[in-house]
Each structure stands twice: as C-alpha cells, then as structure tokens.
Amino acid sequence: MTERSLVLVKPDGFARGLVGEVLRRIEAKGYVLVALGLVTPTRDQLAAHYVEHQGKPFYDSLVEFMSSGPVAAVVIEGDRCIEGFRALAGATDATKALPGTIRGDLGRDWGQGPQENIVHGSDSTESAEREIGIWFPDLKS
Ligand code: IDP
Ligand code: MG
C-alpha cells in the first residue's frame, strides 16, 4: 500500500515563493519527503515527463513554460499518496479548483488557461515510477 509520488513545484510556484507552502501542506498531511531538489528542466527531460501530452495543442507552450525557470522536484511517500496529493493539488484548472486545495487557494488564470497551476503530481503508480526515474535516476527504492 505504501507508495511514492513525484511532485513538482512548477516555475510559477517557484517564482512566487510557494515552494515552502507546498512542502508544508505535504508534510502537514503526513506524507514523508524522500527526495528534494531544485532544477531548471531541460526540454528532453520535459519531453519524457510529458510524453502522454505530446501532440496536444498546449504541449509546446507547456514545455516552454516548464523550462522557463527552476522547479522544485520532490518525491513523497505514504499510503495512497498518489491519490492523496492529487486531492491536495485540486483540479487542473486553478480557476475551478476548490478552495482548500493548493491550486484553489494559491492559483489563478494568468492568461494561459490552466497552464500555470503551481504543482504537478503523478496520476498512477506506473506514472510515478516512470517520473521518479526521470527526475531522480539515482534514487534507491
Ligand atoms: P494534471 O497536471 O492535473 O495532471 P494534465 O491534464 O496531466 O493535468 O496536464 C498537464 C499539465 O498541462 C497541466 O498541469 C497544465 O499545466 C497543462 N495543461 C493542461 N491542459 C491545458 C490546457 O488546456 N491549456 C494549457 N495548459 C494545459
Ligand atoms: Mg497529469
């Protein structure tokens, strides 16, 4: 049951000084931080990370945005933390995300629709395993 998830505080969240607030919410929920780093992602890294979105209308803009500055990459651990972090994050579109969630409390539309939404969280155990391998290739299970 114990699982891991890959969380990113995206460049908008980093630029707005929200890394600490996101980590605070993860820790307050009870999940454990397993790995943590700051990196400005390469396009290759983002192509691997967002492979499921290649070819979509927002893909090029998304990669541009995600490579525009530092992100905080985090591996969290805990029973059902994949589902649990997605609940903490809220809906993809920050305008629609419920108050109480990271995106609902801290996010808004900045002119690019749902693009700038502060955080990423893995959506399945398969995605989590794949994504953790991209961001933390040396992390031991
Ligand atoms: P998720 O992050 O809630 O899992 P996904 O559908 O996997 O949402 O989309 C990945 C990311 O792509 C989103 O978090 C958001 O930054 C961006 N995105 C999704 N849909 C759109 C869109 O319609 N326009 C612009 N950006 C989008
Ligand atoms: Mg997703």
Side-chain angles (χ1 to χ4, degrees):
M1 211 56 157
T2 291
E3 61 188 17
R4 289 179 174 180
S5 183
L6 187 276
V7 171
L8 301 175
V9 182
K10 298 182 179 188
D12 60 326
F14 179 87
R16 291 179 57 212
L18 296 174
V19 174
E21 174 64 15
V22 171
L23 295 180
R24 188 194 66 75
R25 289 178 183 225
I26 290 168
E27 290 192 301
K29 179 78 171 172
Y31 301 133
V32 174
L33 306 182
V34 172
L36 180 59
L38 285 181
V39 62
T40 299
T42 65
R43 284 167 172 279
D44 284 352
Q45 206 171 2
L46 293 166
H49 178 79
Y50 281 127
V51 65
E52 76 198 86
H53 296 303
Q54 278 175 30
K56 293 187 183 171
F58 61 82
Y59 176 78
D60 287 345
S61 173
L62 177 63
V63 170
E64 186 71 31
F65 158 58
M66 289 295 295
S67 60
S68 67
V71 308
V74 191
V75 177
I76 67 171
E77 188 172 85
D79 289 15
R80 298 174 67 200
C81 71
I82 293 172
E83 180 187 0
F85 179 77
R86 298 221 8 132
L88 285 184
T92 303
D93 183 346
T95 299
K96 294 181 179 159
L98 292 177
T101 65
I102 292 167
R103 290 161 170 171
D105 285 349
L106 308 172
R108 50 162 280 194
D109 194 321
W110 298 92
Q112 306 296 325
Q115 178 176 271
E116 292 167 315
N117 60 4
I118 307 174
V119 286
H120 164 85
S122 305
D123 65 6
S124 66
T125 51
E126 295 73 25
S127 304
E129 206 168 303
R130 185 178 62 77
E131 293 170 1
I132 290 168
I134 294 167
W135 296 86
F136 294 96
D138 299 328
L139 184 65
K140 304 265 191 299
S141 54

